[in-house]
Amino acid sequence: MKIGMTLPVTEPGWSRDILVQWCRRIDEGPFHSLALGERTCFPSPEIIATLGACAVLTERVQLQTTVIVLPTHNPVILAKQLATIDVFSEGRLTVGVGTGGREEDYQASGTNLSQKRIAVMEEFVTTMRSVWSGEKVVDGALLPVEPVPYQPDGPQMLAGVMGPKGIASAAKWADGVCGMSMTGSVDEAKQAFMQIREAWKTAGRTTQPVLNTAFWFALGDNANTQLETHLTRYFNWLDDDSRRAMAQACGFRGSTKQLKDRLQAFVDAGTDELLLIPTSIDPDEVDRAAEAIASL
């Protein structure tokens, strides 16, 4: 199983120095990838600008989006942006896309809420792949939209979906699924993996789906407080009682040894890649997680 580290972009306080420290520690550690997600109405840095910086600040790790809220973007411009990042990272880009869950992010981007549909995402993915293949997608344009991606067929595309409808859609166009275990439970991931494999089989896919998942984590004596503070801030759209309940129920909290055992359980479940989601902006979180990974 590959293990990646997610930038805690929903934590406040980002600066150049903090980003440099996170990128360098992840790149030098036992991690396969550096991941980040997208929110607009939140303290998180803008995803494309941050990805571009990460492409230059790292040399080795795969860069992964988990996820870009695809319907809020112009698919032609987004394809150009991601192809540029693929070039600057020399082919180290994996693109996870989804429809997102926050209506305010659609409003902020001027996107009608009617676009928040799986069918729109399917259409945009088709457009992006057409751009990456060199097709002329802009009527009357003298040249195709470039640059051409570093990877010959463009970046691997993963679907950030949940539930039967989303997974069935992903089986038509995605290379796999970048999922999420809200509770950090391996049983939650196993159930999703079973549904994904069945959807790929039903769709007649000849390749196996990439099975990625993720969970929030906090380690050490202050783990409960750290995780609950982070998640209470993250679930800002819920009422107070629901926020507290989610903050108490979600994520992994424990010792380095317990994290190592949890990671092994995900290995045994057939996970292709697991992304750890930190709940503190402190770059030392990278080293704490690395200790658990090194003992696997």
Side-chain angles (χ1 to χ4, degrees), residues 173-203:
W173 58 266
D175 296 302
V177 174
C178 49
M180 175 75 179
S181 175
M182 298 290 286
T183 63
S185 164
V186 70
D187 290 337
E188 190 177 348
K190 284 180 180 178
Q191 183 176 4
F193 292 167
M194 182 175 63
Q195 295 172 343
I196 295 162
R197 291 189 183 103
E198 186 60 32
W200 252 245
K201 182 179 178 181
T202 300

Side-chain angles (χ1 to χ4, degrees), residues 80 152 204 274:
K80 183 179 180 74
L274 188 143

Side-chain angles (χ1 to χ4, degrees), residues 36-38 47-48 51 64-73 75 78-79 82 93-101 106 117-118 120-126 128-129 132 155-162 166 169-170 173-179:
L36 68 158
E38 178 176 36
I47 191 167
I48 300 300
L51 262 179
Q64 186 170 159
T65 64
T66 57
V67 294
I68 292 174
V69 184
L70 185 52
T72 66
H73 293 263
L78 181 62
L82 293 173
L93 180 64
T94 297
V95 179
V97 296
T99 58
Y106 279 74
R117 294 182 293 118
I118 290 173
V120 171
M121 188 161 67
E122 289 183 20
E123 177 188 341
F124 282 15
V125 167
T126 299
M128 291 169 65
R129 284 190 163 141
W132 291 340
Q156 184 182 68
M157 297 280 284
L158 302 179
V161 294
M162 299 175 67
S169 166
W173 58 266
D175 296 302
V177 174
C178 49

Side-chain angles (χ1 to χ4, degrees), residues 50-240:
T50 307
L51 262 179
C54 292
V56 175
L57 290 171
T58 59
E59 299 285 344
R60 179 190 62 82
V61 289
Q62 191 76 5
L63 305 176
Q64 186 170 159
T65 64
T66 57
V67 294
I68 292 174
V69 184
L70 185 52
T72 66
H73 293 263
N74 178 309
V76 175
I77 299 302
L78 181 62
K80 183 179 180 74
Q81 291 170 318
L82 293 173
T84 302
I85 292 167
D86 198 48
V87 170
F88 289 163
S89 67
E90 296 186 327
R92 293 184 290 118
L93 180 64
T94 297
V95 179
V97 296
T99 58
R102 309 281 72 78
E103 292 186 357
E104 63 187 13
D105 288 349
Y106 279 74
Q107 294 164 348
S109 65
T111 305
N112 194 291
L113 288 176
S114 65
Q115 295 289 94
K116 191 176 178 290
R117 294 182 293 118
I118 290 173
V120 171
M121 188 161 67
E122 289 183 20
E123 177 188 341
F124 282 15
V125 167
T126 299
T127 298
M128 291 169 65
R129 284 190 163 141
S130 295
V131 172
W132 291 340
S133 68
E135 296 179 31
K136 287 187 178 181
V137 298
V138 181
D139 291 340
L142 298 178
L143 296 170
V145 176
E146 296 181 275
V148 175
Y150 186 93
Q151 300 176 77
D153 297 322
Q156 184 182 68
M157 297 280 284
L158 302 179
V161 294
M162 299 175 67
K165 185 177 179 181
I167 292 171
S169 166
K172 300 176 187 177
W173 58 266
D175 296 302
V177 174
C178 49
M180 175 75 179
S181 175
M182 298 290 286
T183 63
S185 164
V186 70
D187 290 337
E188 190 177 348
K190 284 180 180 178
Q191 183 176 4
F193 292 167
M194 182 175 63
Q195 295 172 343
I196 295 162
R197 291 189 183 103
E198 186 60 32
W200 252 245
K201 182 179 178 181
T202 300
R205 298 288 294 269
T206 57
T207 58
Q208 291 298 309
V210 175
L211 300 175
N212 287 11
T213 191
F215 59 75
W216 291 287
F217 79 95
L219 299 173
D221 296 337
N222 195 43
N224 277 323
T225 300
Q226 176 179 307
L227 189 59
E228 291 180 19
T229 298
H230 175 87
L231 294 179
T232 300
R233 182 187 300 117
Y234 176 77
F235 290 116
N236 68 335
W237 66 93
L238 301 177
D239 62 77
D240 289 345

